[in-house]
Coordinates of all heavy atoms in Angstrom, one line a residue:
E18 N 91.2 129.7 126.0 CA 91.7 130.8 126.9 C 91.2 130.6 128.3 O 92.0 130.8 129.3 CB 91.4 132.2 126.4 CG 92.0 133.3 127.2 CD 92.2 134.6 126.4 OE1 91.8 134.6 125.2 OE2 92.6 135.6 127.0
A19 N 90.0 130.2 128.5 CA 89.4 130.0 129.8 C 90.1 128.8 130.5 O 90.4 128.8 131.7 CB 87.9 129.7 129.7
Y20 N 90.4 127.7 129.7 CA 91.1 126.6 130.3 C 92.5 126.9 130.8 O 92.9 126.6 131.9 CB 91.2 125.5 129.2 CG 92.0 124.3 129.6 CD1 91.4 123.2 130.3 CD2 93.4 124.2 129.4 CE1 92.1 122.1 130.7 CE2 94.1 123.1 129.8 CZ 93.5 122.1 130.5 OH 94.2 121.0 131.0
L21 N 93.2 127.7 130.0 CA 94.6 128.1 130.4 C 94.6 129.0 131.6 O 95.4 129.0 132.4 CB 95.3 128.7 129.2 CG 95.7 127.7 128.1 CD1 96.4 128.5 127.0 CD2 96.7 126.6 128.6
T22 N 93.6 129.9 131.6 CA 93.5 130.8 132.7 C 93.2 130.1 134.0 O 93.8 130.4 135.1 CB 92.3 131.9 132.5 OG1 92.6 132.6 131.3 CG2 92.2 132.8 133.6
A23 N 92.3 129.1 134.0 CA 92.0 128.3 135.1 C 93.3 127.5 135.5 O 93.5 127.3 136.7 CB 90.9 127.3 134.9
F24 N 94.0 126.9 134.6 CA 95.2 126.2 134.8 C 96.2 127.0 135.6 O 96.8 126.6 136.6 CB 95.8 125.7 133.5 CG 97.1 125.1 133.6 CD1 97.3 123.8 134.2 CD2 98.3 125.7 133.0 CE1 98.6 123.2 134.2 CE2 99.5 125.1 133.1 CZ 99.7 123.8 133.7
V25 N 96.5 128.3 135.1 CA 97.4 129.2 135.8 C 96.9 129.6 137.1 O 97.6 129.6 138.1 CB 97.6 130.4 134.9 CG1 98.4 131.5 135.7 CG2 98.5 130.0 133.7
A26 N 95.6 129.9 137.2 CA 95.1 130.3 138.5 C 95.2 129.2 139.6 O 95.5 129.5 140.8 CB 93.6 130.7 138.4
N27 N 95.0 128.0 139.2 CA 95.2 126.9 140.1 C 96.6 126.8 140.6 O 96.9 126.5 141.8 CB 94.7 125.6 139.5 CG 94.8 124.4 140.5 OD1 94.0 124.4 141.5 ND2 95.7 123.5 140.3
L28 N 97.6 126.9 139.7 CA 99.0 126.8 140.1 C 99.4 128.0 141.0 O 100.2 127.9 141.9 CB 99.9 126.7 138.9 CG 99.7 125.4 138.1 CD1 100.7 125.2 137.0 CD2 99.7 124.1 139.0
V29 N 98.9 129.2 140.7 CA 99.2 130.3 141.5 C 98.6 130.1 142.9 O 99.2 130.4 143.9 CB 98.6 131.6 140.9 CG1 98.6 132.8 141.9 CG2 99.4 132.0 139.6
S30 N 97.4 129.5 143.0 CA 96.8 129.2 144.3 C 97.7 128.3 145.1 O 97.8 128.4 146.3 CB 95.4 128.6 144.1 OG 94.8 128.3 145.3
A31 N 98.2 127.3 144.4 CA 99.1 126.3 145.0 C 100.4 127.1 145.6 O 100.8 126.8 146.7 CB 99.5 125.2 144.1
A32 N 100.9 128.0 144.8 CA 102.1 128.7 145.2 C 101.8 129.6 146.4 O 102.6 129.8 147.3 CB 102.6 129.5 144.0
V33 N 100.6 130.2 146.4 CA 100.2 131.1 147.5 C 100.3 130.3 148.8 O 100.7 130.8 149.9 CB 98.8 131.7 147.3 CG1 98.2 132.3 148.6 CG2 98.8 132.7 146.2
R34 N 99.9 129.0 148.8 CA 100.0 128.2 150.0 C 101.4 127.6 150.2 O 101.8 127.5 151.4 CB 99.0 127.0 149.8 CG 97.5 127.5 149.9 CD 96.6 126.3 149.6 NE 96.4 126.2 148.1 CZ 95.9 125.1 147.5 NH1 95.5 124.1 148.2 NH2 95.8 125.1 146.2
A35 N 102.1 127.3 149.2 CA 103.4 126.5 149.3 C 104.6 127.4 149.5 O 105.5 127.0 150.2 CB 103.6 125.6 148.2
V36 N 104.6 128.6 148.9 CA 105.9 129.4 149.0 C 106.2 129.9 150.4 O 107.3 129.6 150.9 CB 105.8 130.5 147.9 CG1 107.0 131.5 148.1 CG2 105.9 130.0 146.5
P37 N 105.3 130.6 151.1 CA 104.0 131.1 150.7 C 104.1 132.5 150.1 O 105.1 133.2 150.3 CB 103.2 131.2 152.0 CG 104.2 131.5 153.0 CD 105.5 130.8 152.5
L38 N 103.1 132.9 149.3 CA 102.9 134.2 148.7 C 101.7 134.9 149.3 O 100.7 134.2 149.7 CB 102.8 134.2 147.2 CG 104.0 133.7 146.4 CD1 103.5 133.7 144.9 CD2 105.2 134.6 146.6
G39 N 101.6 136.2 149.3 CA 100.4 136.9 149.6 C 99.4 136.7 148.5 O 99.7 136.5 147.3
Q40 N 98.1 136.9 148.9 CA 97.1 136.8 147.9 C 97.2 137.9 146.8 O 97.0 137.6 145.6 CB 95.7 137.0 148.6 CG 95.3 135.9 149.5 CD 94.9 134.6 148.8 OE1 94.7 134.6 147.6 NE2 94.8 133.5 149.5
T41 N 97.7 139.1 147.2 CA 97.9 140.2 146.2 C 99.0 139.8 145.2 O 98.8 140.1 144.0 CB 98.2 141.5 146.9 OG1 97.1 141.8 147.8 CG2 98.4 142.6 145.9
E42 N 100.1 139.3 145.7 CA 101.2 138.9 144.8 C 100.7 137.8 143.8 O 101.0 137.8 142.7 CB 102.3 138.3 145.6 CG 103.1 139.4 146.3 CD 104.3 138.8 147.0 OE1 104.2 138.0 147.9 OE2 105.5 139.3 146.7
G43 N 99.8 136.9 144.3 CA 99.3 135.9 143.5 C 98.4 136.4 142.4 O 98.6 136.0 141.2
Q44 N 97.6 137.4 142.7 CA 96.8 138.0 141.7 C 97.6 138.8 140.7 O 97.3 138.9 139.5 CB 95.8 139.0 142.4 CG 94.7 138.2 143.1 CD 93.9 137.3 142.2 OE1 93.4 137.7 141.1 NE2 93.8 136.0 142.6
R45 N 98.7 139.4 141.1 CA 99.6 140.1 140.2 C 100.2 139.2 139.2 O 100.4 139.5 138.0 CB 100.6 140.9 141.0 CG 100.1 142.2 141.7 CD 101.2 142.8 142.6 NE 100.7 144.0 143.2 CZ 101.1 144.4 144.4 NH1 102.1 143.8 145.0 NH2 100.7 145.5 144.9
A46 N 100.5 138.0 139.7 CA 101.1 137.0 138.8 C 100.1 136.6 137.7 O 100.5 136.5 136.5 CB 101.6 135.8 139.6
I47 N 98.9 136.4 138.1 CA 97.8 136.0 137.1 C 97.6 137.2 136.1 O 97.5 136.9 134.9 CB 96.5 135.7 137.8 CG1 96.7 134.4 138.7 CG2 95.4 135.5 136.8 CD1 95.5 134.1 139.6
R48 N 97.6 138.4 136.6 CA 97.5 139.6 135.8 C 98.7 139.6 134.8 O 98.4 139.8 133.6 CB 97.5 140.8 136.6 CG 97.5 142.1 135.8 CD 98.0 143.3 136.7 NE 99.4 143.1 137.0 CZ 100.1 143.8 138.0 NH1 99.4 144.7 138.7 NH2 101.4 143.6 138.2
D49 N 99.9 139.4 135.2 CA 101.0 139.6 134.4 C 101.1 138.4 133.3 O 101.7 138.6 132.2 CB 102.3 139.5 135.2 CG 102.5 140.8 136.1 OD1 101.7 141.8 135.8 OD2 103.3 140.8 137.0
L50 N 100.5 137.3 133.6 CA 100.5 136.2 132.7 C 99.3 136.2 131.7 O 99.3 135.4 130.7 CB 100.5 134.8 133.5 CG 101.8 134.5 134.2 CD1 101.5 133.4 135.2 CD2 102.9 134.1 133.2
A51 N 98.4 137.1 131.9 CA 97.2 137.1 131.0 C 97.5 137.3 129.6 O 97.0 136.6 128.7 CB 96.2 138.2 131.5
P52 N 98.4 138.2 129.2 CA 98.7 138.4 127.7 C 99.4 137.1 127.1 O 99.1 136.7 126.0 CB 99.7 139.5 127.7 CG 99.5 140.3 129.0 CD 99.1 139.3 130.0
L53 N 100.2 136.4 127.9 CA 100.8 135.2 127.4 C 99.8 134.1 127.3 O 99.8 133.3 126.3 CB 101.9 134.7 128.4 CG 102.6 133.4 128.0 CD1 103.2 133.5 126.6 CD2 103.7 133.1 129.1
I54 N 98.8 134.0 128.2 CA 97.7 133.0 128.1 C 97.0 133.2 126.8 O 96.7 132.3 126.1 CB 96.8 133.2 129.3 CG1 97.5 132.7 130.6 CG2 95.5 132.4 129.1 CD1 96.7 133.0 131.9
S55 N 96.7 134.5 126.5 CA 95.9 134.8 125.3 C 96.7 134.4 124.1 O 96.2 133.8 123.1 CB 95.6 136.3 125.2 OG 94.7 136.7 126.3
A56 N 98.0 134.7 124.1 CA 98.9 134.3 122.9 C 99.0 132.8 122.7 O 98.9 132.3 121.6 CB 100.3 135.0 123.1
V57 N 99.2 132.1 123.8 CA 99.3 130.6 123.7 C 98.0 130.0 123.2 O 98.0 129.1 122.4 CB 99.7 130.0 125.1 CG1 99.7 128.5 125.1 CG2 101.2 130.5 125.5
A58 N 96.9 130.5 123.7 CA 95.6 130.0 123.3 C 95.4 130.3 121.8 O 95.0 129.4 121.1 CB 94.5 130.6 124.1
A59 N 95.8 131.5 121.4 CA 95.6 131.8 119.9 C 96.5 130.9 119.1 O 96.1 130.4 118.0 CB 95.9 133.3 119.7
D60 N 97.8 130.7 119.5 CA 98.7 129.9 118.7 C 98.2 128.4 118.6 O 98.3 127.8 117.6 CB 100.1 129.9 119.4 CG 100.8 131.2 119.2 OD1 100.4 132.0 118.4 OD2 101.8 131.4 119.9

């Protein structure tokens, strides 16, 4: 789960710079993906 969380956080950080997105929007994306990260890790 930690590996997948770091993977997502890094891609969100890239999007914050490239889109660009605000830092708050980036954090919301990480928050919204947290349940899926847990599910994928468990599977």
Side-chain angles (χ1 to χ4, degrees):
E18 186 157 353
Y20 176 87
L21 289 178
T22 300
F24 172 71
V25 166
N27 185 67
L28 295 187
V29 168
S30 177
V33 166
R34 288 171 279 165
V36 172
L38 293 177
Q40 294 285 349
T41 300
E42 287 184 301
Q44 288 302 308
R45 286 173 180 154
I47 295 172
R48 177 202 65 194
D49 292 345
L50 288 165
L53 178 58
I54 289 170
S55 297
V57 171
D60 288 347

